[in-house]
Amino acid sequence: GIQVEQSPPDLILQEGANSTLRCNFSDSVNNLQWFHQNPWGQLINLFYIPSGTKQNGRLSATTVATERYSLLYISSSQTTDSGVYFCAGRGYNFNKFYFGSGTKLNVKP
Amino acid sequence: DARVTQTPRHKVTEMGQEVTMRCQPILGHNTVFWYRQTMMQGLELLAYFRNRAPLDDSGMPKDRFSAEMPDATLATLKIQPSEPRDSAVYFCASGLENTEAFFGQGTRLTVV
């Protein structure tokens, strides 16, 4: 299967700080997505970004498909950004969804 | 407001009992995934359906787990008999091929 490596595994930020989360894939994937798992356990869709750059408020994401990585940028972090951020991509064979182990973010007031 | 609906949200059962979890995918979606999340293993793919046909259930313990899609609006995951090590949050997700997938709120299973 495809290996998905996320970094850093843990991140502590002061409110207002910026951060970059990274996701590397061992093989080409399509349908790359970023999710936020909030403290209640819900998996919230952040971005569907097979390639290119997208922005949504304070969050933006960039995927460089040819180099098999994606970045998630969080600017002016808020305490509500705390939780675990996952990236996931589907392999070209059978479309299985491969998840990274997540980045656990704690934003302190 | 289209969403993936999972029932029950919480389930506590005794070891040895049968557990059935249900998922209603978003109308029109033709792919359904079942995932299990634990602290130790993270998100593990248990089963994957496309057009109601199982494409991959290699992540599922075959002796006690079974997954089916009796129709396009219902996916089920059964555990029989349940064991304490099955305690986890079980997520269902649906999507169209080659597009965004959406997750349900999960079923938190506790086997005592």
Side-chain angles (χ1 to χ4, degrees), chain A residues 13-79:
Chain A
L13 295 176
Q14 206 64 39
E15 198 169 26
N18 304 327
S19 64
T20 301
L21 281 56
R22 187 178 178 105
C23 177
N24 291 331
F25 290 85
S26 62
D27 202 350
S28 296
V29 295
N30 58 16
N31 303 330
L32 196 148
Q33 292 186 237
W34 282 95
F35 298 89
H36 174 219
Q37 188 165 38
N38 63 23
W40 295 270
Q42 290 181 283
L43 281 160
I44 309 297
N45 288 34
L46 294 178
F47 291 101
Y48 169 66
I49 185 165
S51 64
T53 297
K54 289 187 178 180
Q55 179 149 11
N56 184 3
R58 296 180 296 103
L59 303 182
S60 64
T62 295
T63 295
V64 183
T66 53
E67 297 188 21
R68 304 195 301 267
Y69 75 87
S70 185
L71 302 173
L72 178 69
Y73 306 95
I74 304 175
S75 64
S76 304
S77 58
Q78 300 177 356
T79 55

Side-chain angles (χ1 to χ4, degrees), chain B residues 18-38:
Chain B
E18 177 178 299
V19 175
T20 299
M21 290 170 270
R22 293 177 173 81
C23 169
Q24 181 177 351
I26 292 173
L27 190 63
H29 283 183
N30 69 336
T31 60
V32 172
F33 304 85
W34 281 105
Y35 281 87
R36 175 170 64 183
Q37 187 177 34
T38 61

Side-chain angles (χ1 to χ4, degrees), chain A residues 31 33 37 45 94 96-97, chain B residues 35 37 48 56 98 100-101:
Chain A
N31 303 330
Q33 292 186 237
Q37 188 165 38
N45 288 34
F94 301 111
K96 283 174 67 169
F97 237 140
Chain B
Y35 281 87
Q37 187 177 34
Y48 165 46
D56 189 337
N98 298 318
E100 193 172 6

Side-chain angles (χ1 to χ4, degrees), chain A residues 30-31 33 35 37 40-48 84 86 88 90-101 104, chain B residues 9 31 33 35 37 39 42-43 45 48 50 55-56 58 89 91 93-105 108:
Chain A
N30 58 16
N31 303 330
Q33 292 186 237
F35 298 89
Q37 188 165 38
W40 295 270
Q42 290 181 283
L43 281 160
I44 309 297
N45 288 34
L46 294 178
F47 291 101
Y48 169 66
V84 183
F86 291 99
R90 291 203 204 177
Y92 282 93
N93 292 325
F94 301 111
N95 257 216
K96 283 174 67 169
F97 237 140
Y98 296 92
F99 272 84
S101 54
K104 186 173 182 180
Chain B
R9 291 291 311 281
T31 60
F33 304 85
Y35 281 87
Q37 187 177 34
M39 289 292 290
L43 279 157
L45 178 66
Y48 165 46
R50 185 169 68 203
L55 283 194
D56 189 337
S58 57
V89 180
F91 287 102
S94 75
L96 292 169
E97 274 187 84
N98 298 318
T99 63
E100 193 172 6
F102 295 86
F103 279 75
Q105 292 183 297
R108 183 176 295 276

